[in-house]
Amino acid sequence: MRSDLIKKGVARAPHRSLLKAMGYTDEEIRRPLIGIGHAHNEIIPGHIHLDKIVEAVKTGVRMAGGTPIAFGTIGVCDGIAMNHTGMKYSLASREIIADSVEIMAQAHPFDALVLIPNCDKVTPGMLMAMLRVNIPALMVSGGPMLTGRFRGKDVHLVSVFEGVGRVMAKTMTEEELSELEDAACPGCGSCAGMFTANSMNCLTEAVGLGLPGNGTIPAVSAARIRLAKEAGMAVMNLLAKDIRPRDIATKEAFENAMAVDMALGCSTNTVLHVPAIAKEAGVSLPLETFNQVSVRTPHVCSLIPGGPHSLQQLDEAGGVQAVISELLNIDDAICQDVMTVTGKTLGENLKTARVRDREIIKSVDAPYHKRGGIAVLYGNLAPDGAVVKQSAVADEMLEHSGPARVYNSEEEAQAAILGGQINPGDVIVIRYCGPKGGPGMPEMLSPTSAIIGMGLGKSVALITDGRFSGGTQGACIGHVSPEAAVGGPIGLVEEGDLIVIDIPNTVLKFEVDDSELEKRRAKWQPPVPKITTGYVARYARQVTSGSTGAVLKDD
């Protein structure tokens, strides 16, 4: 066993003495040592209950003959970090999370790992570490939050963000917003809807690194505790069979996950995280792969925020496994031979999967959209690509052209939107918000929600070299690459330039000829860094483009 490095032989007496200082018995030390990496804390709703998940996983490990040893890592609540300096630290936290799990797993040579995340950067960060360390491992998330109820309707966190815009548009009172605020987030779990956290937890299941149910069983359900116990037992089976994460996370498995991404209409942040996770597995997933998968994979679930259905309803309809089983009806959409953390192939797992509700999971022959939920756009405004959640765009905005309204920060744009300075037909451009320029590629749920709240969702587009929350809906195009801070064309856009968006044909361009662009480029100056000390300043110097997953430079 790997843990023999710290527990066998006379020379390891000091190591055993330190383990005994924490109360471990000789019998516990002799057993396989299973690291339980978690992100429990008291600032993130998705994490507040992870201590219960940890205890359930530990129970499962002990039931199967192992010794569980828990350790923690950091996490950022994107909702709380939104629209202030804190958002510059969110994406950057992914690398810290990955590094911290790697450090713990290497400094203390566990025989296997169970990782317990539940929010936007924690799930991908832990997956990156899992594949980097590559010892038997699996993931079990804390599960999604239930939707709230407000005046007879399902509501969620984004409802509150949109409520701010409605108050400014005078279609909601401050008293009503306060009532909504009390109702929207009813308890623990990752925010209700196919936002980034739930997207990544579903894709963890789809790639085979989480047990069936990982993405959709509600946080408050007893089934989530049972799943955690099963995860503890499952990791011992993976250890016995020496099945490792890279045996599971193959190119075919990632393409399966991308197909599920398209079918569910997941967050655009998956386009950052999936390639970054794949890189740790030694698998290359160029940005164009998302379009290739999107073309052949229909959008069969209409989930919050782009549609009416919740994660709880998706779970009741059969969950991720039912969605995958439906995709089997498309030639070459799913590879069934890939291994999963159940110790069985995907095809074996799917033998018990079925669609229980055709209102929630449509047939591939009668989908919501013939193409998948995400599209990557190219053109002279985004030579290296830009990303849009096309399943959440109103039909009238799939093709749109309008004058650029240019802002060099989210704060400037937000003030203009709430101040009534944006007109129907405009294309808002928010730049210097990429991985380097942000720094940290901040999410922009506040301006996108304000657009919806102000009643402009079907007439105004927004493009940025930053990124969007999974809660975003509308013609919001992010990850524009190259970013403005490195001289990308988005930094050369001027007020009034005509911007053309053609999502069906994957085009994003602006009507400025090459000679004029060269004149503008000659005048362009790199921006002064917004943060010059500490971790995020180092991150800005090392981070790569959004088109490559915003991973750090290898050197």
PDB file of all heavy atoms in Angstrom, residues 252-281:
ATOM      1  N   GLU A 252     -12.614   9.540 -24.575  1.00  0.00           N
ATOM      2  CA  GLU A 252     -14.002   9.127 -24.831  1.00  0.00           C
ATOM      3  C   GLU A 252     -14.909   9.531 -23.670  1.00  0.00           C
ATOM      4  O   GLU A 252     -16.056   9.949 -23.877  1.00  0.00           O
ATOM      5  CB  GLU A 252     -14.066   7.614 -25.048  1.00  0.00           C
ATOM      6  CG  GLU A 252     -13.400   7.116 -26.328  1.00  0.00           C
ATOM      7  CD  GLU A 252     -11.876   7.037 -26.222  1.00  0.00           C
ATOM      8  OE1 GLU A 252     -11.332   7.156 -25.087  1.00  0.00           O
ATOM      9  OE2 GLU A 252     -11.216   6.868 -27.267  1.00  0.00           O
ATOM     10  N   ALA A 253     -14.405   9.403 -22.442  1.00  0.00           N
ATOM     11  CA  ALA A 253     -15.206   9.783 -21.275  1.00  0.00           C
ATOM     12  C   ALA A 253     -15.464  11.278 -21.251  1.00  0.00           C
ATOM     13  O   ALA A 253     -16.574  11.730 -20.920  1.00  0.00           O
ATOM     14  CB  ALA A 253     -14.491   9.342 -19.999  1.00  0.00           C
ATOM     15  N   PHE A 254     -14.454  12.080 -21.605  1.00  0.00           N
ATOM     16  CA  PHE A 254     -14.659  13.529 -21.651  1.00  0.00           C
ATOM     17  C   PHE A 254     -15.652  13.899 -22.750  1.00  0.00           C
ATOM     18  O   PHE A 254     -16.475  14.815 -22.570  1.00  0.00           O
ATOM     19  CB  PHE A 254     -13.332  14.261 -21.860  1.00  0.00           C
ATOM     20  CG  PHE A 254     -12.532  14.419 -20.606  1.00  0.00           C
ATOM     21  CD1 PHE A 254     -11.357  13.711 -20.412  1.00  0.00           C
ATOM     22  CD2 PHE A 254     -12.965  15.271 -19.601  1.00  0.00           C
ATOM     23  CE1 PHE A 254     -10.619  13.861 -19.240  1.00  0.00           C
ATOM     24  CE2 PHE A 254     -12.239  15.422 -18.421  1.00  0.00           C
ATOM     25  CZ  PHE A 254     -11.064  14.715 -18.245  1.00  0.00           C
ATOM     26  N   GLU A 255     -15.610  13.223 -23.869  1.00  0.00           N
ATOM     27  CA  GLU A 255     -16.583  13.508 -24.928  1.00  0.00           C
ATOM     28  C   GLU A 255     -17.991  13.098 -24.501  1.00  0.00           C
ATOM     29  O   GLU A 255     -18.969  13.758 -24.866  1.00  0.00           O
ATOM     30  CB  GLU A 255     -16.152  12.825 -26.216  1.00  0.00           C
ATOM     31  CG  GLU A 255     -14.909  13.485 -26.829  1.00  0.00           C
ATOM     32  CD  GLU A 255     -14.521  12.917 -28.171  1.00  0.00           C
ATOM     33  OE1 GLU A 255     -15.116  11.906 -28.584  1.00  0.00           O
ATOM     34  OE2 GLU A 255     -13.622  13.489 -28.821  1.00  0.00           O
ATOM     35  N   ASN A 256     -18.109  12.027 -23.715  1.00  0.00           N
ATOM     36  CA  ASN A 256     -19.408  11.690 -23.119  1.00  0.00           C
ATOM     37  C   ASN A 256     -19.910  12.847 -22.259  1.00  0.00           C
ATOM     38  O   ASN A 256     -21.080  13.252 -22.339  1.00  0.00           O
ATOM     39  CB  ASN A 256     -19.293  10.445 -22.240  1.00  0.00           C
ATOM     40  CG  ASN A 256     -19.184   9.148 -23.028  1.00  0.00           C
ATOM     41  OD1 ASN A 256     -19.406   9.115 -24.241  1.00  0.00           O
ATOM     42  ND2 ASN A 256     -18.837   8.077 -22.345  1.00  0.00           N
ATOM     43  N   ALA A 257     -19.018  13.373 -21.425  1.00  0.00           N
ATOM     44  CA  ALA A 257     -19.401  14.466 -20.531  1.00  0.00           C
ATOM     45  C   ALA A 257     -19.798  15.712 -21.322  1.00  0.00           C
ATOM     46  O   ALA A 257     -20.751  16.415 -20.964  1.00  0.00           O
ATOM     47  CB  ALA A 257     -18.256  14.787 -19.571  1.00  0.00           C
ATOM     48  N   MET A 258     -19.087  15.979 -22.411  1.00  0.00           N
ATOM     49  CA  MET A 258     -19.426  17.136 -23.237  1.00  0.00           C
ATOM     50  C   MET A 258     -20.792  16.953 -23.888  1.00  0.00           C
ATOM     51  O   MET A 258     -21.562  17.919 -24.029  1.00  0.00           O
ATOM     52  CB  MET A 258     -18.341  17.346 -24.289  1.00  0.00           C
ATOM     53  CG  MET A 258     -17.012  17.791 -23.681  1.00  0.00           C
ATOM     54  SD  MET A 258     -15.643  17.704 -24.853  1.00  0.00           S
ATOM     55  CE  MET A 258     -15.951  19.180 -25.810  1.00  0.00           C
ATOM     56  N   ALA A 259     -21.124  15.732 -24.271  1.00  0.00           N
ATOM     57  CA  ALA A 259     -22.444  15.463 -24.837  1.00  0.00           C
ATOM     58  C   ALA A 259     -23.536  15.723 -23.798  1.00  0.00           C
ATOM     59  O   ALA A 259     -24.584  16.321 -24.101  1.00  0.00           O
ATOM     60  CB  ALA A 259     -22.524  14.027 -25.342  1.00  0.00           C
ATOM     61  N   VAL A 260     -23.302  15.294 -22.562  1.00  0.00           N
ATOM     62  CA  VAL A 260     -24.256  15.571 -21.479  1.00  0.00           C
ATOM     63  C   VAL A 260     -24.348  17.071 -21.223  1.00  0.00           C
ATOM     64  O   VAL A 260     -25.439  17.609 -20.991  1.00  0.00           O
ATOM     65  CB  VAL A 260     -23.842  14.808 -20.201  1.00  0.00           C
ATOM     66  CG1 VAL A 260     -24.696  15.236 -19.009  1.00  0.00           C
ATOM     67  CG2 VAL A 260     -23.959  13.302 -20.433  1.00  0.00           C
ATOM     68  N   ASP A 261     -23.208  17.759 -21.277  1.00  0.00           N
ATOM     69  CA  ASP A 261     -23.168  19.217 -21.156  1.00  0.00           C
ATOM     70  C   ASP A 261     -24.138  19.853 -22.157  1.00  0.00           C
ATOM     71  O   ASP A 261     -24.959  20.713 -21.809  1.00  0.00           O
ATOM     72  CB  ASP A 261     -21.726  19.663 -21.433  1.00  0.00           C
ATOM     73  CG  ASP A 261     -21.452  21.138 -21.149  1.00  0.00           C
ATOM     74  OD1 ASP A 261     -22.409  21.916 -21.042  1.00  0.00           O
ATOM     75  OD2 ASP A 261     -20.268  21.494 -21.052  1.00  0.00           O
ATOM     76  N   MET A 262     -24.070  19.412 -23.401  1.00  0.00           N
ATOM     77  CA  MET A 262     -24.926  19.973 -24.454  1.00  0.00           C
ATOM     78  C   MET A 262     -26.388  19.611 -24.238  1.00  0.00           C
ATOM     79  O   MET A 262     -27.289  20.424 -24.460  1.00  0.00           O
ATOM     80  CB  MET A 262     -24.469  19.471 -25.818  1.00  0.00           C
ATOM     81  CG  MET A 262     -23.054  19.870 -26.177  1.00  0.00           C
ATOM     82  SD  MET A 262     -22.817  21.660 -26.129  1.00  0.00           S
ATOM     83  CE  MET A 262     -21.033  21.754 -26.134  1.00  0.00           C
ATOM     84  N   ALA A 263     -26.639  18.384 -23.800  1.00  0.00           N
ATOM     85  CA  ALA A 263     -28.014  17.926 -23.601  1.00  0.00           C
ATOM     86  C   ALA A 263     -28.696  18.664 -22.457  1.00  0.00           C
ATOM     87  O   ALA A 263     -29.894  18.958 -22.515  1.00  0.00           O
ATOM     88  CB  ALA A 263     -28.022  16.425 -23.338  1.00  0.00           C
ATOM     89  N   LEU A 264     -27.922  18.981 -21.417  1.00  0.00           N
ATOM     90  CA  LEU A 264     -28.491  19.637 -20.243  1.00  0.00           C
ATOM     91  C   LEU A 264     -28.557  21.156 -20.378  1.00  0.00           C
ATOM     92  O   LEU A 264     -29.335  21.802 -19.683  1.00  0.00           O
ATOM     93  CB  LEU A 264     -27.653  19.298 -18.999  1.00  0.00           C
ATOM     94  CG  LEU A 264     -27.695  17.862 -18.500  1.00  0.00           C
ATOM     95  CD1 LEU A 264     -26.715  17.683 -17.341  1.00  0.00           C
ATOM     96  CD2 LEU A 264     -29.102  17.456 -18.080  1.00  0.00           C
ATOM     97  N   GLY A 265     -27.725  21.742 -21.251  1.00  0.00           N
ATOM     98  CA  GLY A 265     -27.637  23.195 -21.315  1.00  0.00           C
ATOM     99  C   GLY A 265     -26.886  23.743 -20.120  1.00  0.00           C
ATOM    100  O   GLY A 265     -27.367  24.620 -19.395  1.00  0.00           O
ATOM    101  N   CYS A 266     -25.676  23.223 -19.911  1.00  0.00           N
ATOM    102  CA  CYS A 266     -24.894  23.584 -18.720  1.00  0.00           C
ATOM    103  C   CYS A 266     -24.302  24.985 -18.831  1.00  0.00           C
ATOM    104  O   CYS A 266     -24.389  25.652 -19.853  1.00  0.00           O
ATOM    105  CB  CYS A 266     -23.779  22.559 -18.513  1.00  0.00           C
ATOM    106  SG  CYS A 266     -24.361  20.936 -17.962  1.00  0.00           S
ATOM    107  N   SER A 267     -23.640  25.390 -17.764  1.00  0.00           N
ATOM    108  CA  SER A 267     -23.002  26.703 -17.682  1.00  0.00           C
ATOM    109  C   SER A 267     -21.875  26.832 -18.696  1.00  0.00           C
ATOM    110  O   SER A 267     -21.160  25.879 -18.980  1.00  0.00           O
ATOM    111  CB  SER A 267     -22.427  26.877 -16.268  1.00  0.00           C
ATOM    112  OG  SER A 267     -21.492  27.933 -16.216  1.00  0.00           O
ATOM    113  N   THR A 268     -21.677  28.063 -19.201  1.00  0.00           N
ATOM    114  CA  THR A 268     -20.542  28.311 -20.099  1.00  0.00           C
ATOM    115  C   THR A 268     -19.208  28.107 -19.383  1.00  0.00           C
ATOM    116  O   THR A 268     -18.179  27.908 -20.039  1.00  0.00           O
ATOM    117  CB  THR A 268     -20.589  29.749 -20.655  1.00  0.00           C
ATOM    118  OG1 THR A 268     -20.738  30.672 -19.575  1.00  0.00           O
ATOM    119  CG2 THR A 268     -21.735  29.915 -21.635  1.00  0.00           C
ATOM    120  N   ASN A 269     -19.202  28.127 -18.065  1.00  0.00           N
ATOM    121  CA  ASN A 269     -17.955  27.898 -17.339  1.00  0.00           C
ATOM    122  C   ASN A 269     -17.409  26.489 -17.544  1.00  0.00           C
ATOM    123  O   ASN A 269     -16.217  26.246 -17.308  1.00  0.00           O
ATOM    124  CB  ASN A 269     -18.142  28.170 -15.845  1.00  0.00           C
ATOM    125  CG  ASN A 269     -18.154  29.647 -15.530  1.00  0.00           C
ATOM    126  OD1 ASN A 269     -17.318  30.404 -16.011  1.00  0.00           O
ATOM    127  ND2 ASN A 269     -19.114  30.080 -14.734  1.00  0.00           N
ATOM    128  N   THR A 270     -18.246  25.567 -17.994  1.00  0.00           N
ATOM    129  CA  THR A 270     -17.734  24.228 -18.286  1.00  0.00           C
ATOM    130  C   THR A 270     -16.689  24.284 -19.395  1.00  0.00           C
ATOM    131  O   THR A 270     -15.798  23.425 -19.453  1.00  0.00           O
ATOM    132  CB  THR A 270     -18.868  23.268 -18.694  1.00  0.00           C
ATOM    133  OG1 THR A 270     -19.496  23.749 -19.895  1.00  0.00           O
ATOM    134  CG2 THR A 270     -19.909  23.126 -17.595  1.00  0.00           C
ATOM    135  N   VAL A 271     -16.786  25.285 -20.266  1.00  0.00           N
ATOM    136  CA  VAL A 271     -15.822  25.412 -21.364  1.00  0.00           C
ATOM    137  C   VAL A 271     -14.449  25.829 -20.836  1.00  0.00           C
ATOM    138  O   VAL A 271     -13.436  25.589 -21.487  1.00  0.00           O
ATOM    139  CB  VAL A 271     -16.349  26.395 -22.432  1.00  0.00           C
ATOM    140  CG1 VAL A 271     -15.386  26.545 -23.588  1.00  0.00           C
ATOM    141  CG2 VAL A 271     -17.710  25.932 -22.949  1.00  0.00           C
ATOM    142  N   LEU A 272     -14.409  26.435 -19.650  1.00  0.00           N
ATOM    143  CA  LEU A 272     -13.139  26.687 -18.982  1.00  0.00           C
ATOM    144  C   LEU A 272     -12.648  25.448 -18.237  1.00  0.00           C
ATOM    145  O   LEU A 272     -11.474  25.078 -18.319  1.00  0.00           O
ATOM    146  CB  LEU A 272     -13.294  27.820 -17.961  1.00  0.00           C
ATOM    147  CG  LEU A 272     -13.335  29.266 -18.435  1.00  0.00           C
ATOM    148  CD1 LEU A 272     -13.619  30.165 -17.239  1.00  0.00           C
ATOM    149  CD2 LEU A 272     -12.032  29.657 -19.099  1.00  0.00           C
ATOM    150  N   HIS A 273     -13.563  24.822 -17.507  1.00  0.00           N
ATOM    151  CA  HIS A 273     -13.133  23.789 -16.561  1.00  0.00           C
ATOM    152  C   HIS A 273     -12.856  22.433 -17.205  1.00  0.00           C
ATOM    153  O   HIS A 273     -11.890  21.754 -16.825  1.00  0.00           O
ATOM    154  CB  HIS A 273     -14.189  23.633 -15.465  1.00  0.00           C
ATOM    155  CG  HIS A 273     -14.396  24.868 -14.657  1.00  0.00           C
ATOM    156  ND1 HIS A 273     -13.359  25.675 -14.231  1.00  0.00           N
ATOM    157  CD2 HIS A 273     -15.536  25.452 -14.186  1.00  0.00           C
ATOM    158  CE1 HIS A 273     -13.842  26.682 -13.536  1.00  0.00           C
ATOM    159  NE2 HIS A 273     -15.163  26.576 -13.500  1.00  0.00           N
ATOM    160  N   VAL A 274     -13.684  22.016 -18.144  1.00  0.00           N
ATOM    161  CA  VAL A 274     -13.492  20.678 -18.719  1.00  0.00           C
ATOM    162  C   VAL A 274     -12.132  20.552 -19.410  1.00  0.00           C
ATOM    163  O   VAL A 274     -11.411  19.570 -19.175  1.00  0.00           O
ATOM    164  CB  VAL A 274     -14.665  20.317 -19.663  1.00  0.00           C
ATOM    165  CG1 VAL A 274     -14.371  19.019 -20.418  1.00  0.00           C
ATOM    166  CG2 VAL A 274     -15.964  20.173 -18.860  1.00  0.00           C
ATOM    167  N   PRO A 275     -11.698  21.517 -20.253  1.00  0.00           N
ATOM    168  CA  PRO A 275     -10.358  21.396 -20.832  1.00  0.00           C
ATOM    169  C   PRO A 275      -9.241  21.421 -19.779  1.00  0.00           C
ATOM    170  O   PRO A 275      -8.222  20.740 -19.933  1.00  0.00           O
ATOM    171  CB  PRO A 275     -10.256  22.597 -21.768  1.00  0.00           C
ATOM    172  CG  PRO A 275     -11.668  22.928 -22.117  1.00  0.00           C
ATOM    173  CD  PRO A 275     -12.434  22.639 -20.860  1.00  0.00           C
ATOM    174  N   ALA A 276      -9.433  22.204 -18.719  1.00  0.00           N
ATOM    175  CA  ALA A 276      -8.418  22.269 -17.659  1.00  0.00           C
ATOM    176  C   ALA A 276      -8.303  20.930 -16.930  1.00  0.00           C
ATOM    177  O   ALA A 276      -7.202  20.470 -16.605  1.00  0.00           O
ATOM    178  CB  ALA A 276      -8.758  23.382 -16.672  1.00  0.00           C
ATOM    179  N   ILE A 277      -9.440  20.295 -16.673  1.00  0.00           N
ATOM    180  CA  ILE A 277      -9.438  18.978 -16.032  1.00  0.00           C
ATOM    181  C   ILE A 277      -8.825  17.946 -16.969  1.00  0.00           C
ATOM    182  O   ILE A 277      -7.997  17.118 -16.563  1.00  0.00           O
ATOM    183  CB  ILE A 277     -10.876  18.580 -15.643  1.00  0.00           C
ATOM    184  CG1 ILE A 277     -11.421  19.540 -14.587  1.00  0.00           C
ATOM    185  CG2 ILE A 277     -10.927  17.147 -15.122  1.00  0.00           C
ATOM    186  CD1 ILE A 277     -12.936  19.503 -14.450  1.00  0.00           C
ATOM    187  N   ALA A 278      -9.219  18.003 -18.239  1.00  0.00           N
ATOM    188  CA  ALA A 278      -8.690  17.049 -19.227  1.00  0.00           C
ATOM    189  C   ALA A 278      -7.173  17.173 -19.355  1.00  0.00           C
ATOM    190  O   ALA A 278      -6.467  16.155 -19.524  1.00  0.00           O
ATOM    191  CB  ALA A 278      -9.355  17.272 -20.578  1.00  0.00           C
ATOM    192  N   LYS A 279      -6.662  18.384 -19.268  1.00  0.00           N
ATOM    193  CA  LYS A 279      -5.212  18.590 -19.367  1.00  0.00           C
ATOM    194  C   LYS A 279      -4.472  17.808 -18.291  1.00  0.00           C
ATOM    195  O   LYS A 279      -3.409  17.224 -18.540  1.00  0.00           O
ATOM    196  CB  LYS A 279      -4.889  20.082 -19.252  1.00  0.00           C
ATOM    197  CG  LYS A 279      -3.405  20.429 -19.383  1.00  0.00           C
ATOM    198  CD  LYS A 279      -3.206  21.935 -19.335  1.00  0.00           C
ATOM    199  CE  LYS A 279      -1.735  22.303 -19.537  1.00  0.00           C
ATOM    200  NZ  LYS A 279      -0.899  21.905 -18.377  1.00  0.00           N
ATOM    201  N   GLU A 280      -5.045  17.759 -17.086  1.00  0.00           N
ATOM    202  CA  GLU A 280      -4.417  16.996 -16.006  1.00  0.00           C
ATOM    203  C   GLU A 280      -4.435  15.499 -16.282  1.00  0.00           C
ATOM    204  O   GLU A 280      -3.615  14.755 -15.761  1.00  0.00           O
ATOM    205  CB  GLU A 280      -5.117  17.285 -14.671  1.00  0.00           C
ATOM    206  CG  GLU A 280      -5.071  18.738 -14.231  1.00  0.00           C
ATOM    207  CD  GLU A 280      -3.697  19.193 -13.784  1.00  0.00           C
ATOM    208  OE1 GLU A 280      -2.772  18.350 -13.697  1.00  0.00           O
ATOM    209  OE2 GLU A 280      -3.539  20.400 -13.532  1.00  0.00           O
ATOM    210  N   ALA A 281      -5.369  15.061 -17.117  1.00  0.00           N
ATOM    211  CA  ALA A 281      -5.447  13.649 -17.499  1.00  0.00           C
ATOM    212  C   ALA A 281      -4.617  13.342 -18.736  1.00  0.00           C
ATOM    213  O   ALA A 281      -4.586  12.194 -19.198  1.00  0.00           O
ATOM    214  CB  ALA A 281      -6.901  13.253 -17.746  1.00  0.00           C
TER     215      ALA A 281
END
